[in-house]
Amino acid sequence: MIRRIALASVLALSLGGMAAGPVLAQAVAAASSATPATHVALSAPDGRAIDVSAWSAKDEQAVIVFSHGWNSDPARYHRIIKYWTDHGFTVIAPMHTDSLQHPRHAEGDQRSFVMTRIVDHAVVRGYAQASHPGKPMIAAGHSFGSFNSLMAAGAVSVAGPLGDPAVKAVIAISTPGVVPGLVSPSTYATVAAPVLIVTGDADLVQGFVTDPRDHRAAFDASPAGDKMLMTFAGGDHGFIGKADPADFELMAATTVDFMRAHALGDAAAQARLDALTAPEGVTIERR
């Protein structure tokens, strides 16, 4: 199945007219005291070794497959990963070939990076299910990584339908929303899974995203029901890594309640989501 996905993606992307300019280079500051991850090398259909970082929760309730932003790497997201593991969610994250830390980064281009991201995500989802049997799976990501998560939840790009029914919920932080050559007007119309999108009104990407409202595309265009959007005043593209303590706690706690409510069926978490009101400087929308 993974090989068919890879071949279909290569064909689709070669015909898709991907934009030649820079794509969502993300700017999350590296944590200075990251807890070391355990690593496993998974085999991709093309023979690549996919370096996967894993942070295990002591009281594991579910598993998050996390996809980093373009040019970034999993270790830069230690702040949110630690919060999730402290609250019972194991995090498994591949290093994609577009990462500047990837040993084969120089061998790729934008089309190959998009294709290998799709394959990486599928391989790691399979690994997550096999290594954590019976545990619900959540797809989460930042920037372009959130688009990978949305594709796993049913978004149909030019690469075709790649949804995985095992994905119970999506956490999409600074999702690109509009990707010329990859996203069509109907891309998000097939995302029926619960989705929480986090963005900011200053969430811009130089040379690519000039209107912060682009980040809400998946919220506006996906079917109503179990969709939630949080927008932070002043939040930029690196908000996930440098939000002030109050904003970070609100964002992180909401992601945990969202995952508990929709992946674990936790009624108390759902009640907290339903009762959540936006403090000054934050907008919360539901559909």
Side-chain angles (χ1 to χ4, degrees):
M1 182 184 74
I2 301 301
R3 185 175 298 276
R4 291 200 300 273
I5 288 173
L7 293 174
S9 300
V10 170
L11 176 61
L13 291 171
S14 68
L15 298 175
M18 281 286 294
V23 182
L24 292 176
Q26 69 89 24
V28 173
S32 60
S33 58
T35 300
T38 58
H39 289 264
V40 61
L42 301 180
S43 296
D46 62 1
R48 289 181 301 113
I50 305 171
D51 177 34
V52 178
S53 301
W55 290 266
S56 297
K58 291 182 180 179
D59 181 20
E60 183 182 273
Q61 301 168 39
V63 178
I64 299 170
V65 174
F66 181 81
S67 183
H68 63 72
W70 199 272
N71 287 353
S72 191
D73 60 87
R76 290 181 178 266
Y77 296 89
H78 173 260
R79 189 182 186 190
I80 188 65
I81 288 172
K82 184 178 186 304
Y83 193 98
W84 286 337
T85 57
D86 285 349
H87 288 78
F89 295 87
T90 287
V91 179
I92 302 176
M95 180 185 289
H96 300 299
T97 54
D98 59 86
S99 172
L100 297 178
Q101 303 299 316
H102 197 285
R104 297 180 62 178
H105 173 84
E107 299 174 21
D109 58 22
Q110 288 186 12
R111 288 178 176 84
S112 70
F113 290 156
V114 173
M115 184 272 287
T116 55
R117 273 180 166 267
I118 292 171
V119 175
D120 290 351
H121 211 280
V123 171
V124 174
R125 292 197 311 272
Y127 169 75
Q129 288 182 277
S131 58
H132 301 267
K135 295 298 173 66
M137 182 169 63
I138 298 118
H142 172 248
S143 191
F144 201 95
S146 66
F147 186 63
N148 287 107
S149 301
L150 287 162
M151 283 192 282
V156 178
S157 71
V158 296
L162 300 169
D164 184 344
V167 173
K168 302 304 181 185
V170 174
I171 304 297
I173 301 172
S174 295
T175 181
V178 178
V179 184
L182 190 61
V183 173
S184 73
S186 62
T187 286
Y188 299 112
T190 47
V191 180
V195 178
L196 168 60
I197 294 174
V198 179
T199 186
D201 63 8
D203 196 345
L204 303 172
V205 181
Q206 187 175 7
F208 192 78
V209 179
T210 58
D211 186 344
R213 291 173 296 184
D214 284 354
H215 296 292
R216 61 178 293 141
F219 175 79
D220 292 331
S222 61
D226 298 328
K227 304 300 191 299
M228 188 170 180
L229 172 68
M230 300 182 75
T231 305
F232 288 80
D236 62 13
H237 205 60
F239 176 81
I240 185 176
K242 59 186 182 184
D244 67 39
D247 282 348
F248 179 81
E249 177 62 29
L250 174 61
M251 173 192 69
T254 303
T255 66
V256 166
D257 276 342
F258 194 87
M259 293 187 291
R260 285 178 175 164
H262 296 293
L264 302 175
D266 185 329
Q270 184 63 62
R272 287 192 294 272
L273 288 174
D274 293 341
L276 182 63
T277 57
E280 183 177 358
V282 182
T283 300
I284 298 175
E285 300 174 58
R286 301 174 176 86
R287 295 182 66 236

